[in-house]
Amino acid sequence: MKIAKNTVVTVHYKLSDAQGNLIEESRDPMVYLHGGYENTLPKIEEALEGRDVGFETTIQVEPDDAFGEYDPNLIKIEPRNRLPEPVEIGMQFEGTPDDAEGADDSIIFTVTDIADDQVVLDGNHPLAGMALRFTLNVAGVRSATDEEVAHQHVHGADGHHHHHQQDGTEGEDGDHFRSYPLH
Ligand SMILES: [Zn+2]
């Protein structure tokens, strides 16, 4: 079966930077609903459109088509006492950028540096500003169910979960290229 709109694609991937340094290699494949549902990067869908099981390719995706350019305005320096203790580099908090219009603009900040009484928070995606190289290997293609198409994501594959919230809305799916809520 060829990859087309409303197929569920299982793909092994290897992610490197533009110099070929490995960032991540999939242990579990990514499983996503194909067809512009923002389950994965559009450039990945483009590369796989019309392909079949066994297809392998390597694509390079520029920051604009991945996680955006690095934005120095998303760096915040906060007094340490405004954050919960203990604070460690790599911890993540949800917050609003200084130029946010409202609470809807909240983003994830990562602690990137800690000084005596100040903490540096970076609101950029960890892969922002990077050209990324994906090696993709298609391991499976099937038709999506009507329910999957209605929900715009894949259901019940290999142990990845997300929860539909009580009010029936979807949780935040995140912005990772392999964001693929399954439940
Ligand atoms: Zn669902």
Side-chain angles (χ1 to χ4, degrees):
M1 168 171 246
K2 289 200 186 330
I3 295 172
K5 190 172 175 71
N6 299 337
T7 56
V8 173
V9 181
T10 302
V11 57
H12 291 278
Y13 62 88
K14 202 165 79 177
L15 171 60
S16 330
D17 64 18
Q19 287 72 46
N21 301 305
L22 186 67
I23 296 169
E24 184 180 342
E25 185 157 12
S26 62
R27 198 176 32 163
D28 299 320
M30 147 170 99
V31 183
Y32 77 94
L33 176 61
H34 188 90
Y37 298 105
E38 296 181 6
N39 282 196
T40 191
L41 297 181
K43 289 287 179 191
I44 291 179
E45 294 206 24
E46 206 174 282
L48 299 182
E49 176 76 25
R51 304 298 186 170
D52 212 331
V53 172
F55 177 73
E56 182 169 324
T57 189
T58 298
I59 59 168
Q60 182 159 322
V61 182
E62 299 306 316
D64 265 354
D65 293 319
F67 299 102
E69 299 291 348
Y70 190 85
D71 181 358
N73 293 320
L74 292 178
I75 303 284
K76 281 160 72 117
I77 298 174
E78 294 283 346
R80 187 169 180 155
N81 61 18
R82 287 196 52 193
L83 296 161
E85 287 289 340
V87 175
E88 287 170 32
I89 288 175
M91 286 176 82
Q92 295 187 314
F93 299 96
E94 196 167 339
T96 45
D98 292 335
D99 59 354
E101 309 263 303
D104 285 352
D105 291 328
S106 76
I107 55 173
I108 301 296
F109 286 89
T110 305
V111 175
T112 56
D113 203 6
I114 303 171
D116 294 336
D117 53 2
Q118 292 192 313
V119 176
V120 179
L121 297 170
D122 187 347
N124 287 284
H125 188 282
L127 299 175
M130 292 177 66
L132 301 172
R133 201 174 286 174
F134 291 92
T135 297
L136 305 166
N137 191 316
V138 179
V141 186
R142 66 167 170 86
S143 297
T145 64
D146 292 345
E147 192 186 44
E148 286 171 324
V149 172
H151 284 198
Q152 306 197 352
H153 55 234
V154 173
H155 284 173
D158 53 28
H160 297 274
H161 298 284
H162 89 145
H163 302 286
H164 286 248
Q165 291 166 358
Q166 296 294 338
D167 59 3
T169 61
E170 300 273 330
E172 180 56 50
D173 287 342
D175 57 358
H176 204 270
F177 71 93
R178 60 184 159 79
S179 154
Y180 46 99
L182 299 171
H183 54 96

